[in-house]
Amino acid sequence: MINTDDTIEVKGARVHNLKNIDVTIPREKLVVITGLSGSGKSSLAFDTIYAEGQRRYIETFSAYARQFLGSLERPDVDKIDGLSPVIAIEQKTTSKSPRSTVGTITEIYDFLRLLFARAADAYSYETGEKMVSYSDEQIRDLILQTYAGKKINILSPVIRSRKGHYRELFEQIAKQGFVKVRTDGEIVDLEKGMKLDRYVTHDIEIVIDRLKIDATQDNEKRLMESINTAMYHGDDVLMVIDQETNEPRYFSRNLMCPSSGISYPNPEPNNFSFNSPKGACPDCNGIGEKYEVNEKKLVPDESLSIKNGALAPHGPQKKSWIFKQFETISQRFDFTLSDPWKDIPEEAKQMILYGGKDKFTVESKLLGVTRDYNIDFEGVANFIESQHKSNSTSLVRWAREYMDKIQCPTCEGSRLRKESLNFKVDGKSIADLVNMDIIELSEWLKNLDTRLSDKQLKISSEILKEIRNRVQFLLDVGLTYLSLNRSSKSLSGGEAQRIRLATQIGSQLVGVLYILDEPSIGLHQRDNEKLINSLASLRDVGNSVIVVEHDKDMIERADHVIDIGPFAGKHGGEIISEGTPTELLQHHTLTASYLNGEQEIKVPKQRRKGNGKKIVLKGCTGNNLKNIDVEFPLGKMIGVTGVSGSGKSTLINETLYPILNAHFFNAVKKPMPYKSIKGLEHIDKVIDINQSPIGRTPRSNPATYTKTFDEIRKLFAQIPEAMIRGYKPGRFSFNVAGGRCETCQGGGLRVIEMNFLPDVYVECETCQGKRFNRETLEIRYKGKSISDALDMTIEEAVVFFEHIPKIYRKLKTIEDVGLGYITLGQQSTTLSGGEAQRIKLATELSKRDTGNTFYILDEPTTGLHFEDIRVLMKVLNKLVDKGNTVLIIEHNLDVIKTVDYIIDIGYEGGKGGGKVVAKGTPEQIIKDDKSYTAKFLKKELN
């Protein structure tokens, strides 16, 4: 009997494609699960072990609490022993909220807020002087000292620089028994019905007391009472005026500027939070960006007339109120709705776009009478602004089509109020700190203690310790180049995962089972070592770590490796070898043969020369790019490499792709700043294949995603029997009423709700899981119904549909990228990450290439095994052989060594990156001593 204290025992796992497997995983070790993409690695790690851990945790709640949580399904496994609490660190779990930043996920921002609330010095935003705050006793002593023997007035400021006539305010002040006020620097008696000019800005103070300062007991007592009264009416601020010189001086219980008298509330942590109304910039509500109407989007084509649809939101002329308004405006400014927009008078354009009020009369020459017209028009742009503020998501989405996202002009993207930005520690505001790269922040924190006052040190020593620890963990997982202000939705899957890993290391838990999904994605070989050390440190404090990974270094450093295979999908799901990395090499599995060098991805004998043409992009300065010029030779396979955060995505995804996309497809995404681009005439379309997941609903499947199902439905609708019955392609869709089985609404399954147990899915008894009704299934092509077609694997379907070119081309591409084993109707939710990535790839690759197409792939090797990469490269090489250009952003050396031309960006990530370090063939690159990529590539090529 194995002691379950040292191992996790999984017996009879049958989730997805697992073939009733038993596996023993050692605890408190670093265990790697590897195997082909789709072989069942995630099914074992996430859908079996993690799902069971989650379910057991939820089972500990009372039945009452569970009904609100929704119970979790028990994974299809006989039993799991020795399972400790499980934490999964997946790729897809970061928040897509614009309010979530690296600082908030790692909790560093929370500690910074505390530091600034307790230990920062405040400065005035008007004069830049240090703010002061006094107690009532200090104020009394200061007045006695400063104004000894002088006559003074004590006043309460009630209105500061605001317009209005203030009649009610004066009445209220008089009712409270005061007789004098100071308005705009002049002391006057309060009179009945007194008011000011309502269109001018005013300052108003109540005169509380007028006295001569001497050091008698009575005088001190009177002064103290006056100070209390003045503070009460003046919202904790009072003003003292020397009667001779008329010089004002302010005193406050809160923080206050000694010369201008503006005061800040005493700081609390939420004054520095952009998610709280106390700290958020009032203009953008703490998001740092705003939407602004773009006139070019309202009037895309100035040669059109209003009648023909110059105003994009309203389209061509219709019988509607808004076009009547345009008619009236056209009479007022003497033009017609048939005039091109560019010929309309400027005033009229302003009124149409931004509204206005106007009265005018028109004389009718025929009848000899005059008519009065009133214009009171909101304006097209203002109407779109108001729709953008509405509660309906569809209206907001519609309004955004005519708007641009801009940095908020008030807070300049810092998200905070101006008061919060004027609190400083060592001369830096909280916004300065969150905009630093992590590595800069760590430098600043290093010797901070020597630059703080004793009081600040005493308050902040614990807080600084926490901040330093957390910053160090981020450095340990290779995220030196991120800033705390970076929005979490702009992070790649691997970055988000490593941030969560850093947060977990920071929490110092012990005895936990961590499961990670390919944490090395998007990580340069240089930082891989750091990541593996972080995982090892999690293990060393007494946790068990399971990693689903294809990375060679990670497999070699593991304590125990489980290889699942032999192939993918229904041909996989078995354990083909397990043991230490050295034991693994003795088995002749696919993974082992790549590790011990029996098989490898070959380096091409010679690099392609290309077609001699190139695209030249000059003066790129987005994010951290240092005004660089880059050449992309066409007709080759180009690899863009460099350490994480060096600027690869900024250059390709945010500068080059938006330029090409706008040029060929009129896309509206604005590229990052650049000076010029030449050579666009040499290509005729661009296709971008990025990392976003494909539709993850049970109704989405490979057939619907690749649009093959549309063609199959059209084919079935052309069968004579279907035409006789009048069936259209919609009849063969399981998403709309008509042809689908109405009992399960085309799902093939029915949900049976169990109150305290997880819902049970049973096959629909009406259609036996076929999704369609009897009449639809009677239509057959080559003896197969539409439901049989969905149950075919891609391999079978390629043979079955080989005479229908449109369907065959799409299916053949899916087979070429190595997915012959999945079925056409397999739910997208059951596809692994690597499979989903390749279906997306196949969809794009099946579009007709022109021989001049420019493909951009962002880390296509995500989730792929060595063998899958070999298959993928075969497909991409075919494309380049036809004359197309393929550009790949990649860290995987197996891909980098096979490309024709490398553009290496670096040297470091973040502010230390953004330059082109080296360019040329892999053989030329390895001669560069400074490039990190060259160092690792040298080993591969030799």
Side-chain angles (χ1 to χ4, degrees), residues 886-936:
V886 173
L887 183 147
I888 309 178
I889 303 177
E890 193 51 274
H891 294 287
N892 187 306
L893 293 172
D894 285 328
V895 173
I896 298 172
K897 70 182 185 189
T898 58
V899 302
D900 306 315
Y901 187 86
I902 294 178
I903 299 169
D904 189 35
I905 297 179
Y907 297 91
E908 300 292 333
K911 300 224 164 70
K915 297 193 180 93
V916 177
V917 179
K919 52 182 195 279
T921 62
E923 287 72 22
Q924 291 166 324
I925 292 275
I926 56 175
K927 296 186 183 126
D928 192 291
D929 303 336
K930 290 189 183 158
S931 156
Y932 288 113
T933 309
K935 212 160 71 185
F936 293 97

Coordinates of all heavy atoms in Angstrom, one line a residue, residues 886-936:
V886 N 5.2 35.5 -44.3 CA 4.7 35.1 -43.0 C 5.6 35.7 -41.9 O 6.8 35.5 -41.9 CB 4.7 33.5 -42.8 CG1 4.3 33.2 -41.4 CG2 3.7 32.9 -43.8
L887 N 5.0 36.5 -41.1 CA 5.7 37.1 -40.0 C 5.3 36.5 -38.7 O 4.1 36.5 -38.4 CB 5.5 38.6 -40.0 CG 6.3 39.4 -39.0 CD1 6.6 40.8 -39.5 CD2 5.5 39.6 -37.7
I888 N 6.2 36.0 -37.9 CA 5.9 35.3 -36.6 C 6.6 36.0 -35.5 O 7.8 36.2 -35.5 CB 6.4 33.8 -36.7 CG1 5.9 33.2 -38.0 CG2 5.9 33.1 -35.5 CD1 6.4 31.7 -38.1
I889 N 5.8 36.4 -34.4 CA 6.4 36.9 -33.2 C 6.6 35.6 -32.3 O 5.6 34.9 -32.0 CB 5.4 37.8 -32.5 CG1 5.1 39.0 -33.4 CG2 6.0 38.3 -31.2 CD1 4.0 40.0 -32.8
E890 N 7.8 35.3 -31.9 CA 8.0 34.0 -31.3 C 9.2 34.0 -30.4 O 10.2 34.7 -30.6 CB 8.1 32.9 -32.4 CG 8.0 31.5 -32.0 CD 6.8 31.2 -31.2 OE1 6.9 31.3 -29.9 OE2 5.8 30.7 -31.7
H891 N 9.1 33.1 -29.3 CA 10.3 32.9 -28.5 C 10.8 31.5 -28.7 O 11.9 31.1 -28.2 CB 9.9 33.0 -27.0 CG 9.5 34.4 -26.6 ND1 10.4 35.4 -26.4 CD2 8.3 34.9 -26.3 CE1 9.7 36.5 -26.1 NE2 8.5 36.2 -26.0
N892 N 10.0 30.6 -29.3 CA 10.3 29.2 -29.4 C 11.5 29.0 -30.4 O 11.4 29.3 -31.6 CB 9.1 28.4 -29.9 CG 9.3 26.9 -29.8 OD1 10.3 26.4 -30.4 ND2 8.5 26.3 -29.1
L893 N 12.6 28.4 -29.9 CA 13.8 28.4 -30.7 C 13.6 27.4 -31.9 O 14.3 27.6 -33.0 CB 15.0 27.9 -29.9 CG 15.4 28.9 -28.9 CD1 16.5 28.4 -27.9 CD2 16.0 30.2 -29.5
D894 N 12.7 26.4 -31.8 CA 12.5 25.5 -32.9 C 11.9 26.3 -34.1 O 12.2 25.9 -35.3 CB 11.5 24.4 -32.5 CG 12.2 23.4 -31.7 OD1 13.4 23.2 -31.9 OD2 11.6 22.8 -30.8
V895 N 11.1 27.3 -33.8 CA 10.6 28.1 -34.9 C 11.6 29.1 -35.4 O 11.9 29.3 -36.6 CB 9.3 28.9 -34.4 CG1 8.9 29.9 -35.5 CG2 8.2 27.9 -34.1
I896 N 12.3 29.8 -34.4 CA 13.3 30.8 -34.8 C 14.4 30.3 -35.7 O 14.8 30.9 -36.7 CB 13.9 31.5 -33.5 CG1 12.8 32.1 -32.7 CG2 14.9 32.5 -33.9 CD1 13.2 32.6 -31.4
K897 N 14.8 29.0 -35.5 CA 16.0 28.5 -36.3 C 15.6 28.2 -37.7 O 16.4 28.0 -38.6 CB 16.6 27.3 -35.6 CG 15.7 26.1 -35.6 CD 16.4 24.9 -34.8 CE 15.5 23.7 -35.0 NZ 16.0 22.6 -34.1
T898 N 14.2 28.1 -37.9 CA 13.8 27.7 -39.3 C 13.4 28.9 -40.2 O 13.1 28.8 -41.3 CB 12.6 26.7 -39.3 OG1 11.6 27.3 -38.6 CG2 13.0 25.4 -38.6
V899 N 13.3 30.1 -39.6 CA 12.9 31.3 -40.4 C 14.0 31.8 -41.3 O 15.2 31.4 -41.1 CB 12.3 32.4 -39.5 CG1 11.2 32.0 -38.6 CG2 13.5 33.1 -38.7
D900 N 13.6 32.6 -42.3 CA 14.6 33.1 -43.2 C 15.3 34.4 -42.8 O 16.4 34.7 -43.2 CB 13.9 33.4 -44.6 CG 13.2 32.2 -45.1 OD1 13.7 31.1 -45.0 OD2 12.0 32.4 -45.5
Y901 N 14.6 35.2 -41.9 CA 15.1 36.5 -41.6 C 14.6 36.8 -40.2 O 13.4 36.6 -39.9 CB 14.5 37.5 -42.6 CG 15.0 38.9 -42.5 CD1 16.2 39.3 -43.1 CD2 14.4 39.9 -41.7 CE1 16.7 40.6 -43.0 CE2 14.9 41.2 -41.6 CZ 16.0 41.5 -42.3 OH 16.5 42.8 -42.2
I902 N 15.5 37.3 -39.3 CA 15.1 37.6 -38.0 C 15.3 39.1 -37.7 O 16.2 39.7 -38.1 CB 16.0 36.8 -37.0 CG1 15.8 35.3 -37.1 CG2 15.8 37.3 -35.5 CD1 16.7 34.5 -36.2
I903 N 14.3 39.6 -37.0 CA 14.4 41.0 -36.5 C 14.4 40.9 -35.0 O 13.4 40.5 -34.4 CB 13.2 41.9 -37.0 CG1 13.2 42.0 -38.5 CG2 13.3 43.3 -36.3 CD1 11.9 42.6 -39.0
D904 N 15.6 41.2 -34.3 CA 15.7 41.0 -32.9 C 15.6 42.3 -32.2 O 16.3 43.2 -32.5 CB 17.0 40.3 -32.6 CG 17.1 39.9 -31.1 OD1 16.0 39.5 -30.6 OD2 18.2 39.9 -30.5
I905 N 14.6 42.4 -31.3 CA 14.4 43.7 -30.6 C 14.8 43.6 -29.2 O 14.6 42.6 -28.5 CB 12.9 44.1 -30.7 CG1 12.6 44.3 -32.2 CG2 12.6 45.4 -30.0 CD1 11.2 44.6 -32.5
G906 N 15.4 44.6 -28.6 CA 15.9 44.6 -27.2 C 16.5 45.9 -26.8 O 16.1 46.9 -27.3
Y907 N 17.5 45.9 -25.9 CA 18.2 44.7 -25.4 C 17.4 44.1 -24.3 O 17.3 42.9 -24.2 CB 19.6 45.1 -24.9 CG 20.5 45.6 -26.0 CD1 20.6 46.9 -26.3 CD2 21.2 44.7 -26.8 CE1 21.4 47.4 -27.4 CE2 22.0 45.1 -27.9 CZ 22.1 46.5 -28.1 OH 22.9 46.9 -29.2
E908 N 16.8 45.0 -23.5 CA 16.1 44.5 -22.3 C 14.6 44.7 -22.6 O 14.2 45.1 -23.7 CB 16.5 45.3 -21.1 CG 17.9 45.2 -20.7 CD 18.3 43.9 -20.2 OE1 17.4 43.2 -19.7 OE2 19.5 43.4 -20.4
G909 N 13.8 44.4 -21.6 CA 12.3 44.7 -21.7 C 12.1 46.1 -21.1 O 12.9 46.7 -20.5
G910 N 10.9 46.7 -21.4 CA 10.5 48.0 -20.9 C 11.3 49.1 -21.4 O 11.6 49.2 -22.6
K911 N 11.7 50.0 -20.5 CA 12.5 51.2 -20.9 C 13.8 50.9 -21.5 O 14.4 51.6 -22.3 CB 12.6 52.2 -19.8 CG 11.3 52.6 -19.2 CD 11.3 54.1 -18.9 CE 9.9 54.6 -18.7 NZ 9.2 54.2 -17.4
G912 N 14.4 49.7 -21.2 CA 15.7 49.3 -21.7 C 15.5 48.6 -23.1 O 16.5 48.1 -23.6
G913 N 14.3 48.6 -23.6 CA 14.1 47.9 -24.9 C 13.8 48.9 -26.0 O 14.1 50.1 -25.9
G914 N 13.1 48.4 -27.1 CA 12.7 49.3 -28.1 C 13.7 49.7 -29.2 O 13.5 50.6 -29.9
K915 N 14.8 48.9 -29.2 CA 15.8 49.2 -30.3 C 15.9 47.9 -31.1 O 15.7 46.8 -30.6 CB 17.1 49.5 -29.8 CG 17.2 50.8 -28.9 CD 18.7 51.2 -28.7 CE 18.8 52.4 -27.8 NZ 19.0 52.1 -26.4
V916 N 16.3 48.0 -32.4 CA 16.6 46.9 -33.2 C 18.0 46.5 -32.9 O 18.9 47.2 -33.2 CB 16.4 47.1 -34.7 CG1 16.7 45.9 -35.5 CG2 14.9 47.5 -35.0
V917 N 18.2 45.3 -32.3 CA 19.5 44.8 -31.8 C 20.2 44.2 -33.0 O 21.4 44.5 -33.2 CB 19.3 43.8 -30.7 CG1 20.7 43.3 -30.3 CG2 18.6 44.4 -29.6
A918 N 19.5 43.3 -33.7 CA 20.2 42.6 -34.8 C 19.1 42.3 -35.9 O 18.0 42.1 -35.5 CB 20.8 41.4 -34.3
K919 N 19.6 42.2 -37.1 CA 18.6 41.7 -38.2 C 19.4 40.9 -39.2 O 20.6 41.2 -39.4 CB 17.9 42.8 -38.8 CG 18.7 44.0 -39.3 CD 17.8 45.1 -39.8 CE 18.5 46.1 -40.7 NZ 19.2 47.1 -39.9
G920 N 18.7 39.9 -39.8 CA 19.4 39.1 -40.8 C 19.0 37.7 -40.7 O 18.1 37.3 -40.0
T921 N 19.8 36.8 -41.4 CA 19.4 35.3 -41.3 C 19.9 34.8 -39.9 O 20.7 35.5 -39.3 CB 20.2 34.6 -42.4 OG1 21.6 34.7 -42.1 CG2 19.9 35.0 -43.8
P922 N 19.4 33.7 -39.5 CA 19.8 33.1 -38.2 C 21.3 33.0 -38.1 O 21.9 33.3 -37.0 CB 19.1 31.8 -38.1 CG 17.9 32.0 -38.9 CD 18.2 32.9 -40.0
E923 N 22.0 32.7 -39.2 CA 23.4 32.5 -39.2 C 24.1 33.8 -39.0 O 25.2 33.9 -38.3 CB 23.9 31.9 -40.5 CG 23.6 30.5 -40.8 CD 22.1 30.2 -41.0 OE1 21.4 31.1 -41.5 OE2 21.7 29.0 -40.8
Q924 N 23.5 35.0 -39.5 CA 24.1 36.3 -39.2 C 23.9 36.7 -37.8 O 24.7 37.4 -37.2 CB 23.6 37.3 -40.2 CG 24.0 37.1 -41.7 CD 23.1 37.9 -42.6 OE1 21.9 38.1 -42.4 NE2 23.8 38.3 -43.7
I925 N 22.7 36.4 -37.3 CA 22.3 36.9 -35.9 C 23.2 36.3 -34.9 O 23.6 37.1 -34.0 CB 20.8 36.4 -35.6 CG1 19.8 37.2 -36.5 CG2 20.5 36.6 -34.2 CD1 19.4 38.5 -36.1
I926 N 23.6 35.1 -35.0 CA 24.4 34.5 -33.9 C 25.8 35.1 -33.7 O 26.4 34.8 -32.7 CB 24.5 32.9 -34.0 CG1 25.1 32.5 -35.4 CG2 23.1 32.3 -33.8 CD1 25.3 31.0 -35.5
K927 N 26.2 35.9 -34.7 CA 27.5 36.5 -34.6 C 27.4 37.7 -33.6 O 28.4 38.3 -33.2 CB 28.0 37.0 -35.9 CG 28.2 35.8 -36.9 CD 28.9 36.3 -38.2 CE 29.0 35.1 -39.1 NZ 28.4 35.3 -40.4
D928 N 26.2 38.2 -33.3 CA 26.0 39.4 -32.5 C 26.2 39.0 -31.0 O 25.5 38.1 -30.5 CB 24.6 39.9 -32.7 CG 24.4 41.3 -32.1 OD1 24.4 41.4 -30.8 OD2 24.2 42.3 -32.8
D929 N 27.1 39.7 -30.3 CA 27.4 39.3 -28.9 C 26.4 39.9 -27.9 O 26.2 39.3 -26.9 CB 28.8 39.9 -28.5 CG 29.9 39.4 -29.5 OD1 29.6 38.3 -30.1 OD2 30.9 40.1 -29.6
K930 N 25.8 41.0 -28.3 CA 24.9 41.6 -27.3 C 23.5 41.0 -27.2 O 22.8 41.2 -26.3 CB 24.7 43.1 -27.6 CG 26.0 43.9 -27.4 CD 25.7 45.4 -27.5 CE 27.0 46.2 -27.4 NZ 26.9 47.5 -28.0
S931 N 23.1 40.4 -28.3 CA 21.7 39.9 -28.4 C 21.5 38.6 -27.5 O 22.3 37.7 -27.6 CB 21.3 39.5 -29.9 OG 20.3 38.6 -29.9
Y932 N 20.5 38.7 -26.7 CA 20.2 37.5 -25.8 C 19.7 36.3 -26.7 O 20.0 35.2 -26.4 CB 19.1 37.8 -24.8 CG 19.6 38.7 -23.7 CD1 19.0 40.0 -23.6 CD2 20.5 38.3 -22.8 CE1 19.5 40.9 -22.6 CE2 20.9 39.1 -21.8 CZ 20.4 40.4 -21.7 OH 20.8 41.3 -20.7
T933 N 18.9 36.7 -27.7 CA 18.4 35.6 -28.6 C 19.6 34.8 -29.3 O 19.5 33.6 -29.3 CB 17.5 36.2 -29.7 OG1 16.5 37.1 -29.1 CG2 16.8 35.2 -30.5
A934 N 20.6 35.6 -29.7 CA 21.7 35.0 -30.4 C 22.4 33.9 -29.5 O 22.8 32.8 -30.0 CB 22.7 36.1 -30.8
K935 N 22.5 34.2 -28.2 CA 23.2 33.3 -27.3 C 22.5 31.9 -27.3 O 23.2 30.9 -27.3 CB 23.1 34.0 -25.9 CG 24.3 33.6 -25.0 CD 24.5 34.6 -23.9 CE 23.4 34.5 -22.8 NZ 23.5 35.5 -21.8
F936 N 21.2 31.9 -27.2 CA 20.4 30.7 -27.2 C 20.3 30.0 -28.5 O 20.3 28.8 -28.6 CB 19.1 30.9 -26.6 CG 19.1 31.3 -25.1 CD1 19.0 32.6 -24.8 CD2 19.3 30.4 -24.1 CE1 19.1 33.0 -23.4 CE2 19.3 30.7 -22.8 CZ 19.2 32.1 -22.4

